[in-house]
Amino acid sequence: MSLIPRSALWCYTALMLLFALFVSTAQAAPLHATDLQGHPVEQLTVAGTKVVVLIFAATDCPISNRYIPQIEALRRKLSSQGVAFWWVFPNPGDTLPIVRKHGQDFSISTPTLIDSQQELVHLANASVTPEAAVFAVDHGSLHEVYRGRIDDRYIAFGQERPQATHHDLEQAIQAILAGRTVAQSFGEPVGCSIIPAALKP
């Protein structure tokens, strides 16, 4: 059996360390989203955060708005366990005044971000509203472990169950907190397509 030269092993190890450093730096790079006061939000975590949950939403999407009470209740239930929830509004038409008024009208108390450059959309690979993205936090870096529907209440646009039978989002969060493998959703999220930033209404 041939042996790998020691010099080659050193070279491979150095390349892996450089790659790991690059990945870590990329994951820790600041964001360019803003809160409802117009202040930049560069990090989604604080000390003690174990899970970050992004809920992509749109002020004019009826399905997205129907889920607001459920997400608000889920945040109140899990925030004490190190779970950080964020509403994310990525559509070009959802400007700061519009999103701020929407939050007042719907009594939203969960922290809200305006993702005008759609960096969070690309980070999560989100495509519709509402859509959930769940990240496990490891030494300040975010690792996406779930992306998809909140639950199975909506079968299709305009077709709704009386109540959900599978709570995909909550089950994903609970799996992370318990150290279990996160199961992926069995269905696609139903909602309104996210408008690309270049296509303003």
Side-chain angles (χ1 to χ4, degrees):
M1 181 172 60
S2 61
L3 297 177
I4 300 175
R6 182 173 295 179
S7 59
L9 283 174
W10 276 109
C11 182
Y12 175 79
T13 302
L15 286 173
M16 290 299 99
L17 288 173
L18 286 172
F19 176 74
L21 178 62
F22 170 78
V23 171
S24 176
T25 302
Q27 290 171 339
L31 301 168
H32 298 91
T34 56
D35 61 20
L36 293 185
Q37 286 69 50
H39 301 146
V41 176
E42 297 184 344
Q43 300 293 334
L44 300 176
T45 63
V46 296
T49 303
K50 301 175 183 177
V51 181
V52 170
V53 181
L54 305 181
I55 306 295
F56 292 89
T59 59
D60 60 354
C61 179
I63 297 179
S64 176
N65 290 334
R66 289 284 301 276
Y67 273 103
I68 290 174
Q70 182 174 332
I71 296 301
E72 292 291 303
L74 193 59
R75 178 191 62 82
R76 291 192 295 269
K77 176 181 178 180
L78 297 175
S79 60
S80 63
Q81 300 180 48
V83 182
F85 282 79
W86 297 87
W87 285 104
V88 180
F89 289 82
N91 284 345
D94 280 335
T95 60
L96 176 57
I98 291 175
V99 176
R100 183 185 291 153
K101 183 178 185 306
H102 177 266
Q104 294 170 350
D105 291 344
F106 284 87
S107 301
I108 294 176
S109 58
T110 297
T112 299
L113 296 172
I114 298 178
D115 187 26
S116 58
Q117 297 186 35
Q118 298 190 344
E119 291 186 9
L120 295 173
V121 169
H122 296 305
L123 175 68
N125 293 311
S127 59
V128 302
T129 62
E131 185 169 4
V134 182
F135 298 82
V137 181
D138 181 18
H139 297 91
S141 294
L142 303 181
H143 304 278
E144 187 174 50
V145 294
Y146 175 85
R147 176 180 56 82
R149 64 188 185 183
I150 295 169
D151 58 30
D152 67 347
R153 189 197 320 179
Y154 282 90
I155 303 168
F157 216 99
Q159 190 175 1
E160 179 182 1
R161 290 184 173 91
Q163 61 184 13
T165 60
H166 294 284
H167 300 275
D168 308 69
L169 172 59
E170 183 171 5
Q171 290 171 0
I173 297 170
Q174 295 289 6
I176 298 173
L177 294 176
R180 302 193 308 267
T181 300
V182 176
Q184 295 305 302
S185 173
F186 290 104
E188 292 296 320
V190 176
C192 312
S193 297
I194 293 175
I195 301 172
L199 302 178
K200 297 184 178 182

